Amino acid sequence: MKNFLKITLLATAILSSINFSQAQQSTIKEDFKPSVLNQPQQEYPMVNSQGYARFKIVAPAADSVRVSLGLGGRGGTKLAKTEDGSWMGTTEGPLDEGFHYYNVRIDGGKFNDPGTLNYYGSVRWESGIEIPAQDEDFYALKNVPHGNVQQILFPSPSTGTSRRAFVYTPPGYEKGKGKYPVLYLQHGWGEDETAWMSQGRANLIIDNLIAEGKIKPFIIVNTYGMTNEVKWGKIREFKIEPFQTVLVDELIPFVDANFRTIAKKEQRAMAGLSMGGMETKTITLNKPDVFAYYGLLSGGTYASTDFKDKPQPKLIFLSCGSKERPDGVRKAGEELKTTGFNAVSYVSEGTAHEFQTWRRSLLQMAPLLFK
Amino acid sequence: MKNFLKITLLATAILSSINFSQAQQSTIKEDFKPSVLNQPQQEYPMVNSQGYARFKIVAPAADSVRVSLGLGGRGGTKLAKTEDGSWMGTTEGPLDEGFHYYNVRIDGGKFNDPGTLNYYGSVRWESGIEIPAQDEDFYALKNVPHGNVQQILFPSPSTGTSRRAFVYTPPGYEKGKGKYPVLYLQHGWGEDETAWMSQGRANLIIDNLIAEGKIKPFIIVNTYGMTNEVKWGKIREFKIEPFQTVLVDELIPFVDANFRTIAKKEQRAMAGLSMGGMETKTITLNKPDVFAYYGLLSGGTYASTDFKDKPQPKLIFLSCGSKERPDGVRKAGEELKTTGFNAVSYVSEGTAHEFQTWRRSLLQMAPLLFK
């Protein structure tokens, strides 16, 4: 039986690869290179200059291997068995530029691609792949002075634990004496405090902006925003109070006590992506004396009526990808501007609810902060 | 054919689980809890109070699932299919206390357990599991003042890149003015600069020692030690010069310029585990004016003859696990002491060439440094 299985699979694989070649050989450029997020010494997954991704998974005795990325409908990209026992496949079309999470279905189980590094998204550590982008220079690691990213463990009496945050201090912080403004920057649902520095490359974006003289240096703080656990689809059950307490009553005082911050509202910003935008909106409106700059990145909008009986923020930044609902963001920005707010809306061209939208949003928002 | 396959697998699974129960039900305590290194909300893998590990992998259509850990010979622990389509199994015996890397073989491919966090070892990101240890209190996250762990990117002209290091600064560093000694602490083969803080918990070990008043605070620096790539088994082809240049000519001056260090030999230590011990031995002997405290953790030994025409270090610390070759470490320590060196040897009871040995070694070594 095993031999019969093997022969059937081999035949299927050969047929698949013929179909594959016929359909695609005229359009796909064979200039594939390893994704920059691969584990050391790993050749696959690869990406080409058009944004196609090619996967290779070794699982000689598997019956079915499928990658969650791609244009092949909800099932992603089906891999075909090759003669050496590995499974290979290329996405049906080019992927959006930038970072994507993905996973691999092997015989019905969900695993990560052993070729790539892992990133925390969807409440699990997922595989990551990076599609080269036309504007990738702004988040590249360059030979410029670099800030440091440090893990801090701050006491949180309200949750009874030491909680983790990451603090980006700009180049020169260690040896200098100056004080800095602070941006509290939140991740999305199912992500954690590693997201912005790791998949978002926030530290490199700010390093590069500072090196080009486009912004004045500031500190960034990321912490975990899902203080109470909420399942996907039940986001309406999310209660802001536990996280608001951790952020406003515990983390901010700790950061102000342990770093050289300018500890006042006019030098403090809060922004977040997706669920982090929802948190930002709620907390900035609940605590109007704490933050002066507000940013919602694919995370909803403010309306002028939200500020009835409240002080005006110094900036409202709204953004999303053009593949999301850009009209809502644009209209909200217009409404706020018309009613006298300093509001800026930004739409990232050709990107969806993914990190390339948020990297670009940070690039656009950073020069507007702490003016 | 598929049904036939399914029935065969089911029968095998039932047989396996019967054998399994008969063999083990009398000895294994059913007090299994999720490993502390599990991904959020993940129940498996689990560990019990005796040190047994139990695994559960969802892959309904797989033919074979095997975990690399366990006493089941070189093949690890074979999992058996259960009625709900997942694969389960328990190690044949208790595992050593502390941290273990592992991976999962599914139909001939090597993957990580989707239940656990990943740790970089064996030149890949591997699954990690933590077996509760009698002495785990010394590396526990406690309600004490915590130092910070920060990622730095330092310029490295010799390799043409910005290279990453992690710097632990002790509690109080941010707001204080004092200067600190520095321990340069290296990972083993196939690991990287994340190992000591992540699987090693070096920051928590030092936080706890400081809180108990057992050591004076110092800085720890970890960087990547495989500047030239060497395959496993070819360790003799390793050339020290590229890494020695990065460490001594690039990293140390950068750390001394950017952190409040006491920048002199008498306040600088180097230690490493396994391959990092080999690096420590070679570099300390090549550069006798740079470090005054030397530590080899499961990483070889010094002999008094190594110091012919060289200054004596202030400390030589040698260690390994009792399941390694403790006699070599003990004898080398005696030989050094007899010939007038300040040498200390330590053997970690009941552990092998794994991180529990090195956590305990750091605990023993830290109070001896910078006297």
Side-chain angles (χ1 to χ4, degrees), chain B residues 47-286:
Chain B
V47 291
N48 82 351
S49 59
Q50 300 162 299
Y52 285 81
R54 181 168 289 170
F55 302 93
K56 179 178 183 176
I57 302 286
V58 178
D63 294 323
S64 143
V65 178
R66 206 177 251 286
V67 171
S68 64
L69 275 182
L71 304 178
R74 287 168 61 192
T77 300
K78 197 172 176 181
L79 307 193
K81 204 170 186 180
T82 61
E83 283 182 37
D84 73 356
S86 63
W87 294 74
M88 288 189 67
T90 306
T91 53
E92 274 184 50
L95 301 172
D96 287 349
E97 295 186 345
F99 176 87
H100 305 282
Y101 296 108
Y102 72 101
N103 55 64
V104 185
R105 283 252 167 208
I106 298 159
D107 287 356
K110 195 193 278 185
F111 300 92
N112 284 328
D113 186 337
T116 68
L117 298 177
N118 289 183
Y119 299 85
Y120 192 68
S122 309
V123 202
R124 61 187 296 273
W125 288 85
E126 295 237 279
S127 303
I129 192 170
E130 189 76 51
I131 306 298
Q134 305 234 340
D135 57 351
E136 64 190 13
D137 192 61
F138 80 84
Y139 53 85
L141 174 63
K142 298 187 199 171
N143 187 19
V144 299
H146 293 290
N148 297 341
V149 177
Q150 59 193 300
Q151 171 189 295
I152 64 167
L153 296 167
F154 64 99
S156 168
S158 75
T159 59
T161 55
S162 288
R163 301 184 71 86
R164 184 169 74 163
F166 289 99
V167 179
Y168 166 87
T169 51
Y173 177 92
E174 287 298 332
K175 280 287 168 178
K177 295 196 192 307
K179 295 189 171 188
Y180 298 84
V182 186
L183 164 63
Y184 290 83
L185 187 58
Q186 289 302 123
H187 60 83
W189 181 89
E191 296 174 338
D192 70 8
E193 64 274 24
T194 61
W196 266 108
M197 296 301 165
S198 187
Q199 41 273 53
R201 299 181 160 228
N203 55 326
L204 301 181
I205 293 170
I206 301 299
D207 285 348
N208 291 337
L209 281 171
I210 293 171
E212 292 166 16
K214 289 185 179 163
I215 62 170
K216 272 191 271 183
F218 57 82
I219 291 171
I220 301 177
V221 179
N222 309 133
T223 198
Y224 186 56
M226 293 173 74
T227 307
N228 55 351
E229 282 182 5
V230 184
K231 299 244 160 82
W232 181 237
K234 305 231 170 174
I235 201 81
R236 280 172 200 282
E237 294 175 12
F238 184 81
K239 287 193 185 62
I240 197 68
E241 289 74 19
F243 175 58
Q244 183 174 291
T245 301
V246 167
L247 178 70
V248 175
D249 300 336
E250 297 172 345
L251 178 57
I252 292 177
F254 184 89
V255 169
D256 284 338
N258 288 281
F259 291 84
R260 298 198 313 276
T261 64
I262 308 171
K264 57 183 183 184
K265 171 181 164 174
E266 291 70 26
Q267 299 292 325
R268 204 180 284 127
M270 181 172 183
L273 71 90
S274 193
M275 185 196 72
M278 190 194 77
E279 293 175 337
T280 298
K281 179 176 175 181
T282 314
I283 293 176
T284 51
L285 292 173
N286 284 351

Side-chain angles (χ1 to χ4, degrees), chain B residues 302-304 307 316 318 332-341 343:
Chain B
Y302 292 93
S304 59
F307 296 94
I316 295 175
L318 305 174
E334 284 309 313
E335 190 270 334
L336 287 162
K337 271 185 267 188
T338 310
T339 50
F341 288 80

Side-chain angles (χ1 to χ4, degrees), chain A residues 1 5 39-40 58-62 106-107 109-111 114 117-118 120 124-125 148-151 174-175 257-258, chain B residues 1 4 39-40 58-62 106-107 109-111 114 117-118 120 124-125 148-151 174-175 257-258:
Chain A
M1 189 195 71
L5 186 67
Q39 292 191 28
V58 177
I106 298 159
D107 288 355
K110 197 192 276 185
F111 299 92
L117 297 178
N118 288 185
Y120 193 68
R124 63 187 295 272
W125 288 85
N148 297 342
V149 176
Q150 61 195 297
Q151 171 189 295
E174 288 297 330
K175 279 287 166 173
N258 288 280
Chain B
M1 191 193 67
F4 177 62
Q39 293 192 26
V58 178
I106 298 159
D107 287 356
K110 195 193 278 185
F111 300 92
L117 298 177
N118 289 183
Y120 192 68
R124 61 187 296 273
W125 288 85
N148 297 341
V149 177
Q150 59 193 300
Q151 171 189 295
E174 287 298 332
K175 280 287 168 178
N258 288 281

Side-chain angles (χ1 to χ4, degrees), chain A residues 312-331:
Chain A
Q312 275 207 11
K314 284 180 159 286
L315 172 75
I316 296 176
F317 180 87
L318 306 173
S319 74
C320 70
S322 68
K323 296 185 173 180
E324 299 188 85
R325 291 179 188 152
D327 284 354
V329 161
R330 282 195 198 101
K331 276 181 194 158

